Structure formats: C-alpha cells, structure tokens
Amino acid sequence: MEFQRMNDAYREKKYPKGSVFERNTGKNRNNSIILLVLLAIVAAALAAGLIFFMDLIQYHQLSGNSDEVTVGYVFVGIFVVLLALCVLGLVFCVKNMKKGVDAIMAASAKASGLTVEDIRAFDQQALRSDSYILKLKNAVSAAMANQADGILTRDYLWLGDFGNHIMRRGDIVGACLYQWSYYVNRKRIWALSVAVVNRQNMAITAEVSPESGAALLGLLHRDQPEIVVAPEVLREGKDYDNWRASVTGGAKV
C-alpha cells in the first residue's frame, strides 16, 4: 500500500478554504451545535420532569402523604443536579462554538507541546504537493473512531485526531503498531492502532488497518532511518509500555 500525495482534487474537496484549521474550526463549530441542540432537548425534558415532581409533591403534601413527599424531593434533587449539568454543558458548547481558528490553533499547540508558530507552519505545509494523505481507515471506521485522514508534511505529522495533536518529525524517536481491546456485550474486541512517540515521551495514536499501519511505519522509517520501529505488533499494557520506555530512555511525559 502507498499513500497518495496531496493533490488539487483532494484539496478542493476537503479543504476548499486552503487551510486544515479552517476546516477543523468549522467541524468544531458544527459538533458544538449538534451537542447544543441535544443538551437543550435533554434540559427541556428535565425541566418538564422537575415541574411534574413539584406538582406531585404539592399534591401529596395536601393529601398528607409524607413518605411520598420525601421520595418526591429525592427525585427533585436528582433532576436539579442533572439540569445544572446540562446548563453547564450548554455554556461550554456556546463558548466552544465561538472559538475561531486562532483559538483552535492555540489549543492544538498546547496539546501537542509545540508553539503556535509550529502549528501555523504545519497548516502552511499541509496542503502542498509534497505532503502525504494518510488514509489510515476506511471512511466508516474512521468516522466511528472520530478521526479524519492524517497528513504527513515535510516537517510535521498529524494522524487526523479530533484533538489536532501534531508532532514535529525531527522529534520522533519511535513508532509501532499495537493492539488494544474493548468490550461489546461482554465480548472482547481487539483493535489495531499506530503509536508515534517523540523524545519527550509524548505519543500520538490513531486506529489503522494492518496495511495502512505498516505503510506508515515504512514511510517514516524510510525518511528517518534513526526512528526505532517495533518489529512486531505489540499488546497494550506492559508490552507497549516497555517498548515506549526503551525508545525514549524512560523519559517522563
């Protein structure tokens, strides 16, 4: 498997404004609007439930049913707490909706351990013809994993995660494929991810197919032979942790 180079058709389809972060800011805004609507619906339902229980408490007070009144107040307390959490969520969504490109870049820089200038440099390089489009999973699987196509530029790597974690290629010391598991109806399901680690022991990860994962490791090692690539697929836990410590010299995060 080989990754495509950045091209006009892909640029026009995915990044018509000519910026990765312009698109990601739009996605952040859209996701916030969807969450805002859902929380508003839940808040309205909770408010209706609160009114219902207050009326019910009043009815039982007039009827002299003290036990029912006590139970009613318990439910009112639960509804008040849940409604307060929804209101906080609504406030967060409104603030998140208002974030512009500069704010998203600043958040990316903080999460990545880089400067905003690094993030701007990545954004400038990302759509150039020498960058690689990293399709690590098919469209459905990528959407379920909440990741987009990654981009490998001359100097930076982004694996397409929603948090916009970007790594400077010159800082990379190791890369591996590792398996991790989750449970569905008590059945253990194994998934495959790639992990890229820098000398500060920060890691960026993304779900991959066996083919795309191997292709990415090969591409990174071809351009930077000094990168330590795990020869086998690792398992989450001690197996992965020991490998990570070995390539970073035990550096703390």
Side-chain angles (χ1 to χ4, degrees):
M1 174 182 176
E2 291 186 3
F3 294 113
Q4 272 190 319
R5 292 278 192 174
M6 186 62 65
N7 55 76
D8 290 339
Y10 187 87
R11 271 191 293 265
E12 291 171 7
K13 179 181 179 181
K14 296 287 187 178
Y15 303 105
K17 293 185 178 180
S19 166
V20 170
F21 277 86
E22 283 282 358
R23 182 172 189 262
N24 290 352
T25 300
K27 287 173 65 178
N28 176 71
R29 188 177 298 112
N30 292 340
N31 289 340
S32 296
I33 291 172
I34 293 170
L35 186 57
L36 183 69
V37 172
L38 292 175
L39 284 174
I41 293 171
V42 173
L46 288 171
L50 188 60
I51 292 170
F52 170 77
F53 276 106
M54 292 299 293
D55 288 343
L56 196 61
I57 287 170
Q58 188 175 22
Y59 167 77
H60 284 299
Q61 283 176 331
L62 294 174
S63 302
N65 300 322
S66 59
D67 290 343
E68 283 78 2
V69 170
T70 301
V71 173
Y73 276 123
V74 170
F75 277 99
V76 165
I78 293 172
F79 272 66
V80 167
V81 171
L82 293 175
L83 187 57
L85 291 174
C86 277
V87 171
L88 287 175
L90 289 169
V91 172
F92 171 79
C93 286
V94 170
K95 287 183 176 180
N96 212 36
M97 279 172 52
K98 294 180 179 179
K99 285 184 178 179
V101 175
D102 289 343
I104 299 297
M105 281 187 166
S108 172
K110 184 177 180 180
S112 306
L114 299 176
T115 65
V116 174
E117 287 70 26
D118 278 310
I119 304 305
R120 292 190 189 282
F122 162 77
D123 200 43
Q124 291 168 0
Q125 293 180 15
L127 304 185
R128 293 176 182 171
S129 57
D130 61 345
S131 295
Y132 286 95
I133 302 165
L134 305 179
K135 289 185 177 292
L136 302 175
K137 295 281 282 186
N138 62 51
V140 174
S141 297
M144 291 178 65
N146 199 25
Q147 67 185 50
D149 295 340
I151 298 176
L152 179 69
T153 77
R154 183 189 64 202
D155 299 315
Y156 300 93
L157 170 64
W158 174 53
L159 295 179
D161 69 295
F162 183 71
N164 301 313
H165 291 82
I166 293 163
M167 188 169 286
R168 192 186 292 115
R169 293 183 66 179
D171 292 339
I172 296 173
V173 293
C176 72
L177 298 180
Y178 72 99
Q179 290 182 316
W180 55 279
S181 62
Y182 59 96
Y183 288 87
V184 176
N185 296 327
R186 298 183 179 180
K187 183 180 179 181
R188 194 176 194 183
I189 308 296
W190 286 96
L192 183 67
S193 286
V194 64
V196 182
V197 184
N198 68 11
R199 59 173 58 97
Q200 290 79 33
N201 200 10
M202 294 183 67
I204 56 174
T205 65
E207 289 190 41
V208 296
S209 67
E211 296 79 15
S212 66
L216 179 56
L217 295 186
L219 181 58
L220 291 173
H221 192 257
R222 185 198 71 187
D223 292 347
Q224 296 170 263
E226 69 277 11
I227 292 176
V228 178
V229 174
E232 299 176 349
V233 176
L234 306 176
R235 282 288 179 98
E236 63 179 344
K238 186 179 292 186
D239 196 21
Y240 169 74
D241 292 341
N242 287 342
W243 171 84
R244 183 168 170 177
S246 72
V247 299
T248 59
K252 294 182 179 180
V253 180

